[in-house]
Protein backbone atom coordinates (compact mmCIF):
# COMPACT_ATOMS: atom_id res chain seq x y z
CA UNK A 1 0.00 0.00 0.00
CA UNK A 2 1.31 3.46 -0.88
CA UNK A 3 0.87 5.39 2.38
CA UNK A 4 1.95 8.68 0.80
CA UNK A 5 -0.99 8.45 -1.62
CA UNK A 6 -3.31 7.62 1.29
CA UNK A 7 -2.11 10.72 3.18
CA UNK A 8 -2.68 12.85 0.08
CA UNK A 9 -6.27 11.55 -0.24
CA UNK A 10 -6.92 12.20 3.45
CA UNK A 11 -5.53 15.72 3.15
CA UNK A 12 -7.88 16.46 0.24
CA UNK A 13 -10.89 14.98 2.02
CA UNK A 14 -10.45 16.79 5.33
CA UNK A 15 -10.01 20.24 3.74
CA UNK A 16 -13.74 21.19 3.90
CA UNK A 17 -13.69 20.45 7.66
CA UNK A 18 -10.74 22.68 8.53
CA UNK A 19 -11.78 25.44 10.89
CA UNK A 20 -14.78 23.49 12.25
CA UNK A 21 -14.60 23.14 16.02
CA UNK A 22 -12.92 25.45 18.47
CA UNK A 23 -9.29 25.91 19.48
CA UNK A 24 -8.62 25.51 23.22
CA UNK A 25 -9.15 28.87 24.86
CA UNK A 26 -8.56 28.19 28.57
CA UNK A 27 -5.13 29.83 28.23
CA UNK A 28 -4.22 32.74 25.92
CA UNK A 29 -1.13 30.91 24.61
CA UNK A 30 -3.35 28.27 22.97
CA UNK A 31 -6.31 30.53 22.06
CA UNK A 32 -4.30 32.37 19.39
CA UNK A 33 -3.32 29.26 17.36
CA UNK A 34 -4.39 29.22 13.69
CA UNK A 35 -7.25 26.67 13.50
CA UNK A 36 -6.71 25.97 9.78
CA UNK A 37 -3.50 23.98 10.24
CA UNK A 38 -3.22 20.28 9.45
CA UNK A 39 -0.34 17.81 9.60
CA UNK A 40 -0.10 14.04 9.63
CA UNK A 41 2.97 11.81 10.00
CA UNK A 42 3.49 8.07 9.94
CA UNK A 43 6.57 6.28 11.24
CA UNK A 44 6.72 2.59 10.35
CA UNK A 45 8.49 -0.08 12.38
CA UNK A 46 10.92 -0.55 9.46
CA UNK A 47 11.94 3.12 9.78
CA UNK A 48 10.12 4.45 6.72
CA UNK A 49 8.21 7.70 7.21
CA UNK A 50 5.35 9.45 5.41
CA UNK A 51 4.30 13.04 5.97
CA UNK A 52 1.74 15.55 4.77
CA UNK A 53 0.80 19.13 5.70
CA UNK A 54 2.62 21.40 8.15
CA UNK A 55 4.67 18.61 9.66
CA UNK A 56 7.48 20.92 10.85
CA UNK A 57 5.05 23.00 12.93
CA UNK A 58 5.62 22.43 16.65
CA UNK A 59 2.59 22.49 18.91
CA UNK A 60 1.83 21.94 22.56
CA UNK A 61 1.57 18.18 23.14
CA UNK A 62 -0.60 18.71 26.25
CA UNK A 63 -2.31 15.47 27.32
CA UNK A 64 -0.36 13.36 24.85
CA UNK A 65 2.44 13.73 27.42
CA UNK A 66 0.33 11.52 29.71
CA UNK A 67 1.31 8.52 27.55
CA UNK A 68 4.96 9.06 28.46
CA UNK A 69 4.42 9.76 32.15
CA UNK A 70 2.13 6.70 32.40
CA UNK A 71 4.84 4.61 30.70
CA UNK A 72 7.42 5.78 33.24
CA UNK A 73 5.16 5.23 36.26
CA UNK A 74 4.06 1.77 35.08
CA UNK A 75 7.65 0.68 34.57
CA UNK A 76 8.57 1.89 38.09
CA UNK A 77 5.56 0.78 40.12
CA UNK A 78 4.05 -2.05 38.06
CA UNK A 79 0.94 -3.50 39.75
CA UNK A 80 1.30 -1.15 42.74
CA UNK A 81 0.30 1.74 40.51
CA UNK A 82 -3.30 0.52 40.36
CA UNK A 83 -3.76 1.17 44.07
CA UNK A 84 -3.59 4.88 43.28
CA UNK A 85 -5.35 5.14 39.91
CA UNK A 86 -7.90 3.02 38.06
CA UNK A 87 -8.05 1.78 34.49
CA UNK A 88 -11.68 2.30 33.57
CA UNK A 89 -13.09 4.92 31.19
CA UNK A 90 -14.48 7.87 33.12
CA UNK A 91 -17.34 8.89 30.82
CA UNK A 92 -16.68 12.40 32.07
CA UNK A 93 -14.77 15.44 30.77
CA UNK A 94 -10.98 15.34 31.24
CA UNK A 95 -10.96 17.91 34.02
CA UNK A 96 -14.11 16.85 35.88
CA UNK A 97 -14.22 16.93 39.68
CA UNK A 98 -17.51 15.20 40.50
CA UNK A 99 -16.55 11.55 40.03
CA UNK A 100 -13.38 12.09 42.03
CA UNK A 101 -15.43 13.18 45.03
CA UNK A 102 -17.73 10.17 45.12
CA UNK A 103 -14.93 7.74 44.28
CA UNK A 104 -12.89 8.90 47.27
CA UNK A 105 -10.03 10.59 45.43
CA UNK A 106 -9.01 7.66 43.21
CA UNK A 107 -9.06 8.80 39.56
CA UNK A 108 -10.66 6.51 37.00
CA UNK A 109 -7.60 6.28 34.74
CA UNK A 110 -4.13 7.80 34.05
CA UNK A 111 -5.35 9.88 31.10
CA UNK A 112 -7.89 12.17 32.74
CA UNK A 113 -6.24 15.12 34.49
CA UNK A 114 -6.73 13.73 38.01
CA UNK A 115 -5.07 10.46 36.98
CA UNK A 116 -2.16 12.23 35.31
CA UNK A 117 -1.67 14.34 38.45
CA UNK A 118 -1.43 11.17 40.56
CA UNK A 119 1.04 9.76 38.03
CA UNK A 120 3.15 12.94 38.37
CA UNK A 121 3.00 12.54 42.13
CA UNK A 122 4.35 8.97 41.92
CA UNK A 123 7.22 10.04 39.64
CA UNK A 124 8.10 12.91 42.00
CA UNK A 125 8.15 10.49 44.95
CA UNK A 126 10.43 8.15 43.03
CA UNK A 127 12.87 10.81 41.82
CA UNK A 128 12.82 13.09 44.86
CA UNK A 129 11.67 16.43 43.44
CA UNK A 130 9.31 18.04 40.96
CA UNK A 131 12.24 19.23 38.82
CA UNK A 132 13.79 15.77 38.71
CA UNK A 133 10.44 14.20 37.83
CA UNK A 134 9.97 16.58 34.94
CA UNK A 135 13.55 15.97 33.77
CA UNK A 136 12.83 12.24 33.77
CA UNK A 137 9.74 12.70 31.59
CA UNK A 138 11.55 15.12 29.28
CA UNK A 139 14.53 12.86 28.85
CA UNK A 140 12.24 9.86 28.27
CA UNK A 141 10.60 11.73 25.38
CA UNK A 142 13.99 12.69 23.91
CA UNK A 143 15.05 9.08 24.22
CA UNK A 144 11.93 7.53 22.73
CA UNK A 145 11.91 10.02 19.86
CA UNK A 146 15.67 9.58 19.41
CA UNK A 147 15.93 13.36 19.24
CA UNK A 148 17.74 15.78 21.57
CA UNK A 149 16.02 18.83 20.11
CA UNK A 150 12.65 18.56 21.83
CA UNK A 151 11.63 21.82 23.52
CA UNK A 152 9.40 23.08 26.31
CA UNK A 153 7.34 26.18 25.61
CA UNK A 154 7.74 28.08 28.88
CA UNK A 155 5.20 30.66 27.70
CA UNK A 156 2.55 27.89 27.67
CA UNK A 157 3.79 26.51 31.01
CA UNK A 158 3.53 29.96 32.66
CA UNK A 159 0.10 30.48 31.15
CA UNK A 160 -1.05 27.08 32.52
CA UNK A 161 0.31 28.00 35.95
CA UNK A 162 -1.59 31.30 35.92
CA UNK A 163 -4.82 29.45 35.06
CA UNK A 164 -4.38 26.43 37.26
CA UNK A 165 -7.46 26.64 39.47
CA UNK A 166 -9.17 23.47 38.30
CA UNK A 167 -6.05 21.30 38.31
CA UNK A 168 -5.25 22.67 41.77
CA UNK A 169 -8.79 21.81 42.85
CA UNK A 170 -8.35 18.23 41.57
CA UNK A 171 -5.00 17.96 43.34
CA UNK A 172 -6.33 19.39 46.60
CA UNK A 173 -9.28 17.03 46.53
CA UNK A 174 -6.98 14.04 46.05
CA UNK A 175 -4.66 15.34 48.75
CA UNK A 176 -7.65 15.53 51.13
CA UNK A 177 -8.32 11.83 50.43
CA UNK A 178 -4.66 10.95 51.03
CA UNK A 179 -3.97 10.11 47.38
CA UNK A 180 -1.22 12.71 46.83
CA UNK A 181 2.08 12.38 48.66
CA UNK A 182 3.76 15.56 47.51
CA UNK A 183 2.81 19.22 47.71
CA UNK A 184 0.11 20.35 45.27
CA UNK A 185 2.42 23.05 43.86
CA UNK A 186 5.14 20.54 43.07
CA UNK A 187 2.72 18.16 41.41
CA UNK A 188 1.09 20.72 39.16
CA UNK A 189 4.44 22.28 38.21
CA UNK A 190 5.81 19.05 36.84
CA UNK A 191 2.45 18.26 35.21
CA UNK A 192 2.17 21.64 33.45
CA UNK A 193 5.74 21.45 32.18
CA UNK A 194 5.12 18.06 30.60
CA UNK A 195 1.94 19.43 28.97
CA UNK A 196 3.96 22.36 27.58
CA UNK A 197 6.45 20.27 25.64
CA UNK A 198 6.36 21.31 21.97
CA UNK A 199 6.73 18.77 19.19
CA UNK A 200 5.69 18.37 15.57
CA UNK A 201 3.87 15.37 14.12
CA UNK A 202 7.11 13.85 12.76
CA UNK A 203 8.64 13.88 16.24
CA UNK A 204 5.49 12.66 17.96
CA UNK A 205 4.88 9.71 15.66
CA UNK A 206 8.51 8.73 16.21
CA UNK A 207 8.21 9.15 19.99
CA UNK A 208 5.42 6.57 20.40
CA UNK A 209 6.88 4.00 18.00
CA UNK A 210 7.90 1.80 20.96
CA UNK A 211 4.17 1.16 21.51
CA UNK A 212 3.86 -0.28 17.99
CA UNK A 213 6.64 -2.75 18.72
CA UNK A 214 5.77 -4.31 22.10
CA UNK A 215 7.68 -1.71 24.14
CA UNK A 216 11.00 -1.74 22.25
CA UNK A 217 11.96 0.90 19.72
CA UNK A 218 12.28 -1.05 16.46
CA UNK A 219 14.88 1.35 15.04
CA UNK A 220 17.29 1.87 17.96
CA UNK A 221 16.36 -1.37 19.78
CA UNK A 222 16.04 0.54 23.05
CA UNK A 223 13.64 -1.23 25.41
CA UNK A 224 11.18 0.98 27.27
CA UNK A 225 8.55 -1.51 28.43
CA UNK A 226 8.08 -5.26 28.34
CA UNK A 227 5.48 -6.55 25.85
CA UNK A 228 2.83 -7.04 28.51
CA UNK A 229 3.24 -3.45 29.77
CA UNK A 230 3.09 -2.11 26.20
CA UNK A 231 -0.13 -4.05 25.68
CA UNK A 232 -1.55 -2.44 28.82
CA UNK A 233 -0.65 1.11 27.77
CA UNK A 234 -2.22 0.53 24.34
CA UNK A 235 -5.33 -0.95 25.96
CA UNK A 236 -5.81 2.03 28.24
CA UNK A 237 -5.24 4.35 25.26
CA UNK A 238 -8.00 2.51 23.40
CA UNK A 239 -10.49 2.65 26.27
CA UNK A 240 -9.60 5.99 27.89
CA UNK A 241 -7.40 8.04 25.53
CA UNK A 242 -10.14 10.42 24.41
CA UNK A 243 -11.98 11.10 27.68
CA UNK A 244 -15.76 10.99 27.27
CA UNK A 245 -15.29 10.47 23.52
CA UNK A 246 -13.14 7.34 23.94
CA UNK A 247 -15.97 5.06 22.82
CA UNK A 248 -16.62 7.20 19.77
CA UNK A 249 -12.90 7.29 18.85
CA UNK A 250 -12.63 3.49 19.19
CA UNK A 251 -15.81 3.06 17.14
CA UNK A 252 -14.64 5.34 14.35
CA UNK A 253 -10.88 4.73 14.28
CA UNK A 254 -10.37 1.34 15.92
CA UNK A 255 -6.85 2.07 17.21
CA UNK A 256 -5.29 2.96 20.56
CA UNK A 257 -4.94 6.74 20.57
CA UNK A 258 -4.28 9.71 22.82
CA UNK A 259 -5.31 13.29 22.21
CA UNK A 260 -4.22 16.63 23.65
CA UNK A 261 -6.01 19.98 23.74
CA UNK A 262 -3.16 21.44 21.66
CA UNK A 263 -4.81 19.65 18.72
CA UNK A 264 -2.52 16.64 18.48
CA UNK A 265 -3.47 12.96 18.47
CA UNK A 266 -1.16 9.95 18.44
CA UNK A 267 -2.38 6.51 17.35
CA UNK A 268 -0.70 3.13 17.29
CA UNK A 269 -1.04 0.28 14.79
CA UNK A 270 0.53 -2.55 16.81
CA UNK A 271 3.24 -4.39 14.90
CA UNK A 272 3.24 -1.85 12.08
CA UNK A 273 3.45 1.87 12.72
CA UNK A 274 2.65 4.91 14.81
CA UNK A 275 0.77 7.94 13.55
CA UNK A 276 0.56 11.56 14.74
CA UNK A 277 -1.92 14.09 13.49
CA UNK A 278 -2.33 17.79 14.27
CA UNK A 279 -5.20 20.16 13.69
CA UNK A 280 -5.94 22.60 16.52
CA UNK A 281 -9.72 23.04 16.37
CA UNK A 282 -11.34 20.69 18.90
CA UNK A 283 -14.66 18.90 19.15
CA UNK A 284 -16.86 19.25 22.23
CA UNK A 285 -14.90 16.67 24.21
CA UNK A 286 -11.60 18.49 23.62
CA UNK A 287 -10.17 16.22 20.91
CA UNK A 288 -8.97 17.43 17.50
CA UNK A 289 -12.03 17.35 15.24
CA UNK A 290 -10.14 17.05 11.95
CA UNK A 291 -7.47 14.86 13.54
CA UNK A 292 -10.09 12.31 14.56
CA UNK A 293 -11.62 12.40 11.06
CA UNK A 294 -8.18 11.96 9.45
CA UNK A 295 -7.48 8.87 11.55
CA UNK A 296 -10.93 7.48 10.77
CA UNK A 297 -10.22 7.94 7.05
CA UNK A 298 -6.82 6.31 7.49
CA UNK A 299 -8.14 3.08 8.99
CA UNK A 300 -11.07 3.01 6.54
CA UNK A 301 -8.78 3.38 3.54
CA UNK A 302 -6.03 1.02 4.70
CA UNK A 303 -7.96 -1.51 6.76
CA UNK A 304 -5.28 -1.04 9.42
CA UNK A 305 -7.47 -0.92 12.50
CA UNK A 306 -6.87 -3.53 15.21
CA UNK A 307 -10.26 -5.08 14.51
N1 LIG B 1 -2.99 21.25 30.27
C1 LIG B 1 -4.31 20.76 30.04
C2 LIG B 1 -5.05 20.72 31.36
O1 LIG B 1 -4.51 20.26 32.31
C3 LIG B 1 -4.24 19.40 29.41
C4 LIG B 1 -5.60 18.83 29.10
C5 LIG B 1 -5.70 18.09 27.80
O2 LIG B 1 -4.84 18.11 26.90
N2 LIG B 1 -6.83 17.45 27.64
O3 LIG B 1 -6.16 21.19 31.46
Amino acid sequence: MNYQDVLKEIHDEIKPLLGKGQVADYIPALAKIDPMQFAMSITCNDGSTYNIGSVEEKFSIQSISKVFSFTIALSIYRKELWKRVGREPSGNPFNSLVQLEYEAGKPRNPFINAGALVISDTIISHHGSSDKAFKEIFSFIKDSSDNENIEVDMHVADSEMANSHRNRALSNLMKSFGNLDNEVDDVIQSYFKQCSISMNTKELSRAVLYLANSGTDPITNKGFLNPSQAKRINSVMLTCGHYDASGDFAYRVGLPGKSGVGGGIVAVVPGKMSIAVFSPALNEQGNSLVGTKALELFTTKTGLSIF
Side-chain angles (χ1 to χ4, degrees):
M1 171 125 6
N2 186 328
Y3 295 128
Q4 197 58 48
D5 288 350
V6 174
L7 289 185
K8 167 90 181 58
E9 277 178 34
I10 293 171
H11 196 199
D12 290 343
E13 286 175 44
I14 56 87
K15 270 181 191 148
L17 291 174
L18 286 175
K20 291 217 164 96
Q22 199 95 54
V23 300
D25 57 3
Y26 69 100
I27 51 169
L30 292 181
K32 61 176 203 286
I33 307 243
D34 172 11
M36 302 302 282
Q37 300 176 85
F38 175 77
M40 190 163 183
S41 297
I42 295 173
T43 305
C44 294
N45 288 13
D46 66 5
S48 54
T49 57
Y50 304 88
N51 295 288
I52 200 138
S54 43
V55 292
E56 302 297 337
E57 183 76 22
K58 294 200 186 244
F59 55 91
S60 195
I61 69 169
Q62 292 291 330
S63 285
I64 297 172
S65 67
K66 294 169 183 171
V67 174
F68 307 110
S69 54
F70 177 29
T71 296
I72 294 169
L74 188 66
S75 64
I76 298 170
Y77 293 96
R78 296 165 190 260
K79 280 187 193 143
E80 288 293 296
L81 192 64
W82 304 117
K83 292 185 180 155
R84 306 273 310 271
V85 60
R87 47 177 190 254
E88 291 295 339
S90 70
N92 277 305
F94 62 87
N95 55 6
S96 170
L97 279 147
V98 280
Q99 197 169 44
L100 198 56
E101 164 74 5
Y102 64 74
E103 295 188 355
K106 182 174 175 180
R108 275 289 174 106
N109 67 67
F111 290 147
I112 51 173
N113 283 14
L117 289 160
V118 165
I119 296 283
S120 292
D121 185 57
T122 66
I123 302 176
I124 295 172
S125 294
H126 186 78
H127 286 282
S129 75
S130 180
D131 272 356
K132 286 186 186 152
F134 170 68
K135 280 199 186 111
E136 173 66 20
I137 297 165
F138 198 29
S139 78
F140 180 93
I141 294 178
K142 289 178 180 172
D143 234 16
S144 76
S145 53
D146 199 25
N147 182 349
E148 277 302 305
N149 300 318
I150 309 294
E151 291 157 21
V152 184
D153 185 338
M154 281 314 290
H155 183 53
V156 172
D158 292 345
S159 201
E160 296 270 8
M161 210 56 184
N163 293 280
S164 57
H165 309 96
R166 189 166 271 270
N167 284 306
R168 274 179 197 280
L170 289 165
S171 303
N172 276 307
L173 191 54
M174 291 191 288
K175 186 106 185 146
S176 79
F177 281 109
N179 196 15
L180 213 65
D181 294 333
N182 297 283
E183 292 307 318
V184 167
D185 258 322
D186 289 335
V187 173
I188 60 169
Q189 248 172 42
S190 160
Y191 169 72
F192 282 145
K193 277 204 207 139
Q194 74 175 59
C195 287
S196 307
I197 291 171
S198 281
M199 293 169 81
N200 60 37
T201 52
K202 279 179 167 172
E203 294 163 342
L204 262 178
S205 70
R206 180 70 186 84
V208 295
L209 191 62
Y210 68 100
L211 292 173
N213 189 49
S214 303
T216 297
D217 187 293
I219 300 171
T220 61
N221 279 323
K222 275 186 209 159
F224 296 105
L225 293 172
N226 66 38
S228 147
Q229 291 167 329
K231 176 190 79 177
R232 296 183 196 294
I233 304 262
N234 280 326
S235 304
V236 181
M237 282 169 70
L238 181 76
T239 52
C240 309
H242 286 76
Y243 319 113
D244 44 339
S246 297
D248 188 57
F249 185 86
Y251 176 83
R252 289 168 56 181
V253 179
L255 291 174
K258 182 73 204 86
S259 67
V261 286
I265 303 178
V266 293
V268 177
V269 185
K272 287 209 158 48
M273 64 178 67
S274 48
I275 309 170
V277 57
F278 167 59
S279 195
L282 308 176
N283 62 21
E284 276 178 12
Q285 292 87 7
N287 306 307
S288 172
L289 187 148
V290 169
T292 307
K293 183 68 195 174
L295 288 165
E296 180 180 4
L297 287 169
F298 181 81
T299 52
T300 304
K301 287 174 187 296
T302 60
L304 285 180
S305 90
I306 58 171
F307 301 107

